[in-house]
Amino acid sequence: MPTPVTDADLVFAAELGQQLRVDSVRSSTSAGSGHPTSSMSAADLLAVLVSRHLRYDWDDPDNPGNDHLIFSKGHASPLLYSIYKAVGVVSDEELMTGYRRFGSRLEGHPTPVLPWVDVATGSLGQGLPDGVGVALAGKYLDELPYRVWVLCGDSEIAEGSIWEALDKASYYKLANLIAIVDVNRLGQRGPTEHGWDTETYRHRVTAFGARAVVIDGHDVAAIDRALAQAGDLSGEQPTVILARTLKGRGFSEVEDREDWHGKPLPAQMAERAVTELGGERHLLVRGPVPGRAAPRRAADGRAEIKLPTYDRGQKVATRKAYGDALTALGARPDVVAMDGEVSNSTHADEFAKAYPERYFEMFIAEQQLVAAAVGVGVRGYRPFASTFAAFFTRAYDFIRMAAISQADICLSGSHAGVEIGADGPSQMALEDLAMMRAVHGSTVLYPGDATSAAALVAAMADREGISYLRTTRGAYPVLYDAGESFPVGGCKVLRSSGEDQVTLVGAGVTLHECLDAADQLARDGISARVIDLYSVKPVDTATLAEAAEGTGGRLVIAEDHHPEGGLGSAVIDALVSTGRAELAVAHLAVREMPGSGTTPELLAAAGIDAAHIAAAARSLLT
Amino acid sequence: MPTPVTDADLVFAAELGQQLRVDSVRSSTSAGSGHPTSSMSAADLLAVLVSRHLRYDWDDPDNPGNDHLIFSKGHASPLLYSIYKAVGVVSDEELMTGYRRFGSRLEGHPTPVLPWVDVATGSLGQGLPDGVGVALAGKYLDELPYRVWVLCGDSEIAEGSIWEALDKASYYKLANLIAIVDVNRLGQRGPTEHGWDTETYRHRVTAFGARAVVIDGHDVAAIDRALAQAGDLSGEQPTVILARTLKGRGFSEVEDREDWHGKPLPAQMAERAVTELGGERHLLVRGPVPGRAAPRRAADGRAEIKLPTYDRGQKVATRKAYGDALTALGARPDVVAMDGEVSNSTHADEFAKAYPERYFEMFIAEQQLVAAAVGVGVRGYRPFASTFAAFFTRAYDFIRMAAISQADICLSGSHAGVEIGADGPSQMALEDLAMMRAVHGSTVLYPGDATSAAALVAAMADREGISYLRTTRGAYPVLYDAGESFPVGGCKVLRSSGEDQVTLVGAGVTLHECLDAADQLARDGISARVIDLYSVKPVDTATLAEAAEGTGGRLVIAEDHHPEGGLGSAVIDALVSTGRAELAVAHLAVREMPGSGTTPELLAAAGIDAAHIAAAARSLLT
């Protein structure tokens, strides 16, 4: 039996819950799409949260003391936008004419085109991991008492990323993180795996170190007690509120019924729903606001950075340069690093030693690794997340969503390509350039030496969007003097003359092979231009076009990557984009499944070593 | 205190454990790389398993009654290969001269180039989910009493995919699945998150529905009891053996020490290790073998398939054709389907209704969805796994590894592109073609109508490797007569004449826009060739080259995907691969972040609708 409501505030909250339901129905029916029933189940939870617990200054979304509210179940956007109406920041008219419409900020799933949205959601199981990142920032970087409230669906609890998030939340003692799980027992195509079995959920979240609170999600007094308990920061555990609810709650024709997921109510049905829910309301609510507070660390990017320097010819791995440069960037108080339990390989451990208070070990959980970066980025920090390049594939959905979240994050993937040698294909990352290039607005960098690597790490720290640095396992000669500049979107012409007959394009390890090939060709009297394509996206179209024109359209492109979507595509797409292009391209890439071996053996077997590059160049000239 | 060992078999197992350690040290030292200490911790566990519990006919790895042994901690390959020596299928010489060497089958991490390896491992957290797939096949398809034994590391328990696996293993009551967790407390860069806290692990795996057994992983009698208990199929729960072990066990210079992960012992140290471990041994062991047994369902691909037919002009969504064709393919007893809780959108639900005994609901856990496909594929079935195209990004690491596993699996991603409309960018899949094309040996198909979609679903069922079908949300006119053939690697020239001035290339929704654009251009007296590029990889280079040559090198390529790595790259790379190419290409793709809207609004905003295609064609002609 629900607790009888006598408190006036709770009566108001219950009324507000009905308003949120009515507006969820109205907005989705007006749009002709959306998820009203998934909104109705969580309406009471959010009504109590917003009216009584969420500390948020709606007139100042940038107030650093504000709590954070993340809809991990992003499809409940009608509920979120109905809250925005209830707090007065979105008009009823905008809600009714904007929701899911072209050009509107009220998109089908929430995105940060809205000032009150921290991260884009809609791919389930991501809002909670993102929230872990925000909570990490709150507890360890900002040192501010804001709370991070995350509304989760019960269906998304099946995503492994939810358990990565709870594991890290308890490991880092994030009492400032509260997950509210809307256990409405119905997914898209039918019942969820565990239905209303809140005891199973309780066992699981408790085992993962969270405090579990099981409530009736339509009992406003019970909700109020649970939220009050959860919002208390004195403990050391995250809280998971498991709220048993009814999907479509409040409208008898759809309540707790299957086949009503993601469907707006037809107009006449919507009218009956509004009537049954007590009619339209236009309550205006403002909950508590936080006091003014300043983060302990200004997320300030200004500092004098002294990048590491290397001597030309010295053999240094670009992953080592990553660690060195990242540590140098640590002079900026906004720079934060994290790694997936391989920091002694990626060299992020150098930063960890120098700035332990701004380093987060995420262990082997790459989804949470990227989500933590997105989350601390929400608070204005500049995250650098690293692991083996191959293992960023584990987090591709998170990287894709980070772009929609307008996150500014820096990723460094080490040990890329067959170059790694003996460990074999599972560790090789032969798809990462394709994957990262296809991310909207991304920057993809692949330095061939330590000097350029260090410069590019510094450049990443000021880039917008998703920046990706690909680094190499082995140590290769430094090619550039310290102080040389490497603009993103540029490239370096390392060999060039008026007699060049062919252009060799490489990056990373293949750049060294191109230089070697150019020497071999020179001995045969063939002059080759050599381009270091350290910036794969954006790419230096003008210099490439000039080289193509200057060498009769003849290019050899060599890449330690599968042939699709990497360096070759970047170059060819760029050249073709310039207008009518006449090209004769030899594209050398990893076309067969590699095994183990030494680096020279594997480069040769893949046909991307100096001998193959030189042979391809000769073929183009015959 | 370990149990005193009196039983002769256990004395032998303990000796075998020492041999496995010695050989792990010897092989990795000889190779100059590898993970001896991670092998030594698990040696006793595996010695008892292989000598007394694993039912496996080493002379007949194809025996359908064999148990399965998966090393989810693939870096313990020295241990696995030392077992192969101990059972006599790999010689000591091969172990000592082959391990991690170029051209050898004893790769750095196990791959199925070896007949005893089911799946490639080395990206942590995948062997157990793959094992769930094998166990699903054992219990529900083969109906054979084999067991699936999976050796896990403790570090990889941090991967969310492990929890997706245990959740599904308990949901499907997979008593035939046994995870053996080697809790050696040390990861690559230092201690694991939970060290030797086996109680936390016990709570977690119990909460996830598994039977937990905590043992001393060096007590052979305790191991023996635990394995006997775990191997009993009478229950309804998977078993997780949590074995407390010492990394580097048996060699005092490295035992339980940090900084010895992934490092072979230097030669002199290896000598001391072998001495301390009691010297080289050459025990030959054969454990129990299974009886001959036949799977209940012959994994037989032969059957008469009657594909669905559609009338030209009828509006049918390609995702609907997927469901129809998949259901038709169900006549083949080897065809199995699974979905990530969106089967009513992908139309996999049609198969589920027709063949419930061969359908597995994986709920919202895309990593496990793909792993289940890989696992049932190990048993010879032909899996079709479906979800929204956007959400296959969640499983990219699993798809990449599936290719290394030589898995033959079919993936169908629905609701691709801005075409989906109101739901917004989180649901759009604007990276899937790039991602899937970059997978080694993959097939990427993108039909424009229901007839071709159905034919391609049938073609996928016989393809080797990873096949991916991209389907569209909306219903569009059927373009082809029933019975038309759509070879993989082909394309269709839908409009063509001797006067063609430009070629329009589209696929999926943009094919219809290209046809519309051709009509618009025809009204202006411009003749355009139109190509349906339903096979994105492999691509029909000859027909594309012929079209380019026939239309003065002028092509407009329109794709509902980001510009990198998709249709445009496929076409341009193909044309450039033919030798000297002169091209004038207009490449229309989704270059800005889309929001919500109607399909026509979003196609227009992205510049990939008929009007933009026609305008681009005109520009190429001026």
Side-chain angles (χ1 to χ4, degrees):
Chain A
M1 290 295 291
T3 323
V5 177
T6 51
D7 184 290
D9 287 348
L10 292 179
V11 172
F12 178 86
E15 270 297 293
L16 178 62
Q18 293 294 80
Q19 170 174 319
L20 297 176
R21 289 189 175 94
V22 167
D23 288 343
S24 295
V25 168
R26 291 170 64 229
S27 57
S28 50
T29 292
S30 77
S33 76
H35 298 74
T37 59
S38 306
S39 297
M40 294 159 87
S41 54
D44 295 318
L45 295 162
L46 270 292
V48 179
L49 177 65
V50 169
S51 62
R52 292 181 40 87
H53 299 277
L54 183 77
R55 295 189 200 123
Y56 197 94
D57 185 346
W58 293 99
D59 298 321
D60 183 12
D62 294 328
N63 181 340
N66 281 341
D67 280 357
H68 289 260
L69 174 61
I70 296 173
F71 267 43
S72 195
K73 55 176 288 186
H75 56 287
S77 56
L79 174 60
L80 184 63
Y81 303 156
S82 296
I83 291 168
Y84 294 160
K85 170 192 149 180
V87 299
V89 295
V90 161
S91 69
D92 191 73
E93 188 192 351
E94 182 178 0
L95 184 64
M96 294 298 291
T97 61
Y99 182 50
R100 288 179 165 247
R101 308 312 200 281
F102 182 72
S104 163
R105 59 183 184 167
L106 303 182
E107 295 187 11
H109 294 74
T111 74
V113 299
L114 290 162
W116 318 284
V117 171
D118 289 327
V119 289
T121 53
S123 178
L124 289 170
Q126 298 208 18
L128 189 63
D130 289 345
V132 167
V134 180
L136 281 171
K139 183 176 171 89
Y140 296 102
L141 302 172
D142 290 335
E143 300 183 23
L144 284 177
Y146 57 77
R147 287 88 49 92
V148 183
W149 306 86
V150 183
L151 177 67
C152 296
D154 49 352
S155 276
E156 69 177 315
I157 304 302
E159 288 283 12
S161 56
I162 291 289
W163 303 99
E164 294 183 16
L166 287 178
D167 180 50
K168 291 304 165 299
S170 64
Y171 181 82
Y172 282 108
K173 304 184 194 305
L174 300 180
N176 54 350
L177 181 73
I178 306 108
I180 304 171
V181 187
D182 177 17
V183 187
N184 66 24
R185 90 164 184 91
L186 289 173
Q188 171 176 320
R189 47 130 281 295
T192 61
E193 209 172 334
H194 300 289
W196 277 322
D197 181 4
T198 46
E199 281 312 295
T200 288
Y201 288 126
R202 184 206 293 269
H203 285 148
R204 293 185 181 188
V205 303
T206 305
F208 272 71
R211 173 171 61 168
V213 183
V214 179
I215 58 169
D216 172 350
H218 302 305
D219 177 340
V220 289
I223 296 168
D224 192 54
R225 286 191 302 272
L227 295 177
Q229 182 186 0
D232 170 19
L233 295 180
S234 62
E236 293 210 317
Q237 286 182 294
T239 300
V240 178
I241 296 173
L242 297 158
R244 183 182 154 131
T245 61
L246 294 167
K247 196 157 176 170
R249 162 79 170 188
F251 179 40
S252 51
E253 295 180 39
V254 300
E255 190 177 276
D256 195 32
R257 301 256 181 108
E258 291 192 36
D259 297 325
W260 278 102
H261 179 93
K263 292 179 185 165
L265 306 184
Q268 291 200 328
M269 207 170 162
E271 274 183 38
R272 294 196 296 277
V274 172
T275 302
E276 186 175 333
L277 289 162
E280 283 185 35
R281 296 166 182 79
H282 298 283
L283 301 172
L284 195 67
V285 61
R286 284 291 169 107
V289 292
R292 289 303 305 186
R296 176 154 178 267
R297 283 178 188 79
D300 187 338
R302 287 167 304 182
E304 199 176 328
I305 307 298
K306 200 170 152 27
L307 284 178
T309 59
Y310 307 96
D311 295 330
R312 268 172 87 146
Q314 183 189 357
K315 285 193 175 180
V316 183
T318 51
R319 61 187 169 114
K320 177 71 169 69
Y322 171 73
D324 296 343
L326 179 63
T327 307
L329 278 172
R332 275 173 53 162
D334 64 329
V335 168
V336 173
M338 49 205 72
D339 190 276
E341 219 278 310
V342 290
S343 60
N344 54 337
S345 289
T346 60
H347 289 278
D349 60 350
E350 296 182 30
F351 183 94
K353 281 167 202 149
Y355 301 100
E357 72 284 5
R358 279 186 272 138
Y359 176 80
F360 298 103
E361 177 57 59
M362 303 313 290
F363 298 94
I364 304 183
E366 294 81 5
Q367 298 182 110
Q368 181 59 63
L369 172 69
V370 171
V374 171
V376 305
V378 163
R379 295 296 309 184
Y381 295 92
R382 169 60 65 159
F384 282 78
S386 49
T387 183
F388 285 12
F391 303 141
F392 274 121
T393 57
R394 196 64 155 259
Y396 193 31
D397 197 16
F398 284 75
I399 297 168
R400 171 184 83 85
M401 289 296 296
I404 305 175
S405 291
Q406 303 177 13
D408 301 325
I409 63 173
C410 303
L411 307 177
S412 176
S414 69
H415 295 73
V418 302
E419 193 275 346
I420 65 160
D423 274 319
S426 64
Q427 322 288 302
M428 279 179 177
L430 297 166
E431 310 82 0
D432 61 324
L433 294 177
M435 167 178 101
M436 296 305 309
R437 283 182 68 239
V439 170
H440 178 71
S442 64
T443 299
V444 180
L445 305 169
Y446 186 16
D449 88 332
T451 301
S452 55
L456 292 169
V457 173
M460 287 168 87
D462 294 313
R463 289 291 290 178
E464 285 188 3
I466 316 299
S467 297
Y468 175 65
L469 182 81
R470 188 187 217 222
T471 69
T472 303
R473 176 177 184 272
Y476 294 87
V478 172
L479 300 171
Y480 301 102
D481 288 325
E484 176 99 26
S485 90
F486 296 87
V488 172
C491 69
K492 292 284 175 193
V493 181
L494 278 170
R495 302 279 170 85
S496 144
S497 78
E499 284 78 48
D500 293 340
Q501 296 166 270
V502 60
T503 300
L504 313 181
V505 183
V509 65
T510 61
L511 174 62
H512 296 272
E513 301 297 322
C514 286
L515 289 168
D516 190 355
D519 291 344
Q520 294 181 23
L521 292 167
R523 290 194 286 272
D524 296 345
I526 299 170
S527 179
R529 191 167 301 186
V530 177
I531 292 183
D532 172 2
L533 204 75
Y534 64 81
S535 181
V536 182
K537 180 185 173 189
V539 74
D540 188 345
T541 304
T543 303
L544 288 168
E546 188 188 326
E549 191 172 318
T551 59
R554 286 181 291 272
L555 292 98
V556 180
I557 310 163
E559 60 179 315
D560 195 355
H561 185 275
H562 286 154
E564 300 86 2
L567 209 63
S569 288
V571 171
I572 296 167
D573 290 356
L575 291 172
V576 168
S577 75
T578 58
R580 185 160 285 269
E582 194 183 337
L583 299 171
V585 173
H587 180 199
L588 311 182
V590 183
R591 292 175 191 273
E592 301 301 325
M593 180 63 73
S596 292
T598 64
T599 299
E601 285 167 343
L602 293 174
L603 293 177
I608 57 172
D609 66 350
H612 285 86
I613 294 167
R618 285 187 202 100
S619 293
L620 291 178
L621 290 165
T622 55
Chain B
M1 287 294 293
T3 321
V5 177
T6 51
D7 183 290
D9 286 350
L10 292 179
V11 172
F12 179 86
E15 271 297 293
L16 178 61
Q18 293 294 81
Q19 170 173 317
L20 298 177
R21 288 188 175 93
V22 167
D23 288 343
S24 296
V25 167
R26 292 170 64 229
S27 56
S28 50
T29 292
S30 78
S33 75
H35 299 73
T37 59
S38 307
S39 297
M40 295 160 87
S41 54
D44 296 319
L45 295 163
L46 270 291
V48 179
L49 177 65
V50 168
S51 62
R52 292 179 42 84
H53 299 277
L54 183 78
R55 295 190 202 122
Y56 197 94
D57 185 345
W58 293 98
D59 298 322
D60 183 11
D62 294 328
N63 181 340
N66 281 342
D67 280 358
H68 289 260
L69 175 60
I70 297 173
F71 267 42
S72 195
K73 54 176 290 186
H75 56 286
S77 56
L79 175 61
L80 184 64
Y81 302 156
S82 296
I83 291 168
Y84 294 160
K85 170 191 149 180
V87 298
V89 295
V90 160
S91 70
D92 192 72
E93 188 193 352
E94 182 177 1
L95 183 65
M96 293 300 289
T97 61
Y99 182 51
R100 288 179 165 249
R101 309 308 202 280
F102 183 72
S104 163
R105 58 183 184 167
L106 303 182
E107 296 187 11
H109 294 74
T111 73
V113 298
L114 291 162
W116 317 284
V117 171
D118 290 325
V119 290
T121 51
S123 178
L124 289 170
Q126 298 207 18
L128 189 62
D130 289 345
V132 167
V134 180
L136 280 171
K139 183 177 171 87
Y140 295 103
L141 301 172
D142 290 336
E143 298 184 21
L144 284 177
Y146 56 77
R147 288 86 50 94
V148 183
W149 307 86
V150 182
L151 178 66
C152 297
D154 49 351
S155 276
E156 69 178 315
I157 305 301
E159 287 284 12
S161 55
I162 291 289
W163 303 99
E164 294 182 15
L166 288 178
D167 180 50
K168 291 303 166 297
S170 63
Y171 180 82
Y172 281 108
K173 304 184 193 306
L174 300 179
N176 54 350
L177 181 73
I178 305 108
I180 304 171
V181 186
D182 177 18
V183 186
N184 66 24
R185 89 163 185 91
L186 289 173
Q188 171 176 321
R189 48 130 281 294
T192 61
E193 208 172 334
H194 300 289
W196 276 322
D197 180 4
T198 47
E199 280 312 295
T200 288
Y201 288 126
R202 184 208 291 271
H203 284 148
R204 293 186 181 187
V205 304
T206 305
F208 272 71
R211 173 170 62 168
V213 184
V214 178
I215 58 169
D216 172 349
H218 303 305
D219 177 340
V220 288
I223 296 168
D224 192 54
R225 285 191 303 273
L227 294 178
Q229 182 186 0
D232 170 17
L233 296 180
S234 62
E236 295 210 315
Q237 287 182 293
T239 301
V240 177
I241 296 173
L242 297 159
R244 184 183 154 132
T245 62
L246 294 167
K247 198 158 178 171
R249 162 78 171 192
F251 180 40
S252 51
E253 295 180 39
V254 300
E255 188 177 277
D256 196 32
R257 302 256 181 108
E258 291 191 35
D259 297 326
W260 277 103
H261 179 93
K263 292 179 186 167
L265 305 183
Q268 292 201 328
M269 207 170 163
E271 274 183 38
R272 294 196 297 276
V274 172
T275 303
E276 186 174 335
L277 289 162
E280 283 185 36
R281 294 164 181 80
H282 299 283
L283 301 173
L284 194 67
V285 61
R286 284 292 169 107
V289 291
R292 288 303 304 186
R296 174 152 180 270
R297 284 177 187 76
D300 187 338
R302 287 167 304 180
E304 198 176 329
I305 306 298
K306 199 171 153 28
L307 285 179
T309 58
Y310 307 96
D311 295 330
R312 266 172 89 147
Q314 183 189 358
K315 285 193 174 179
V316 183
T318 50
R319 61 187 169 113
K320 177 70 171 69
Y322 170 73
D324 295 343
L326 179 63
T327 307
L329 279 171
R332 276 173 55 162
D334 64 329
V335 169
V336 173
M338 49 206 70
D339 191 276
E341 220 277 312
V342 289
S343 60
N344 55 338
S345 289
T346 61
H347 289 278
D349 60 350
E350 296 182 30
F351 183 96
K353 281 168 203 149
Y355 300 101
E357 72 285 3
R358 280 187 271 140
Y359 176 80
F360 298 102
E361 177 56 58
M362 302 314 288
F363 298 94
I364 303 183
E366 294 82 5
Q367 298 182 112
Q368 181 58 63
L369 172 69
V370 171
V374 171
V376 305
V378 164
R379 295 295 310 184
Y381 295 92
R382 169 60 64 159
F384 282 78
S386 49
T387 183
F388 285 12
F391 303 141
F392 274 120
T393 56
R394 196 65 155 259
Y396 193 31
D397 196 16
F398 284 74
I399 297 167
R400 171 184 84 84
M401 289 296 295
I404 304 175
S405 291
Q406 303 177 12
D408 301 324
I409 62 173
C410 304
L411 307 177
S412 176
S414 69
H415 295 73
V418 302
E419 192 274 347
I420 64 159
D423 274 319
S426 64
Q427 322 288 303
M428 279 179 177
L430 296 166
E431 310 83 1
D432 61 324
L433 295 176
M435 167 178 103
M436 296 305 310
R437 283 182 67 238
V439 170
H440 177 72
S442 64
T443 299
V444 180
L445 306 169
Y446 185 16
D449 88 332
T451 300
S452 55
L456 293 169
V457 173
M460 287 168 87
D462 295 314
R463 290 290 291 178
E464 285 189 3
I466 315 299
S467 298
Y468 175 64
L469 183 80
R470 187 188 218 222
T471 67
T472 303
R473 177 177 184 272
Y476 294 87
V478 172
L479 299 171
Y480 301 102
D481 288 325
E484 177 100 26
S485 90
F486 296 87
V488 172
C491 69
K492 292 285 173 189
V493 181
L494 278 170
R495 303 279 170 84
S496 146
S497 78
E499 285 77 48
D500 293 340
Q501 295 166 272
V502 60
T503 300
L504 313 180
V505 184
V509 65
T510 60
L511 174 61
H512 296 272
E513 300 297 322
C514 286
L515 289 168
D516 190 355
D519 291 343
Q520 295 180 22
L521 292 166
R523 289 194 285 273
D524 297 346
I526 299 169
S527 178
R529 191 166 301 187
V530 177
I531 291 182
D532 172 2
L533 204 76
Y534 63 82
S535 181
V536 181
K537 181 186 173 189
V539 74
D540 188 346
T541 304
T543 303
L544 288 168
E546 189 189 327
E549 190 173 319
T551 59
R554 287 181 291 271
L555 292 97
V556 180
I557 310 162
E559 60 179 315
D560 195 356
H561 185 274
H562 286 153
E564 300 87 3
L567 208 63
S569 289
V571 172
I572 296 166
D573 290 356
L575 291 172
V576 167
S577 75
T578 58
R580 185 160 287 270
E582 193 182 339
L583 299 172
V585 173
H587 179 197
L588 311 183
V590 182
R591 292 176 191 271
E592 301 300 327
M593 181 62 74
S596 293
T598 65
T599 299
E601 284 167 345
L602 293 173
L603 292 177
I608 57 173
D609 65 351
H612 285 86
I613 295 166
R618 284 188 201 98
S619 292
L620 291 178
L621 290 165
T622 55

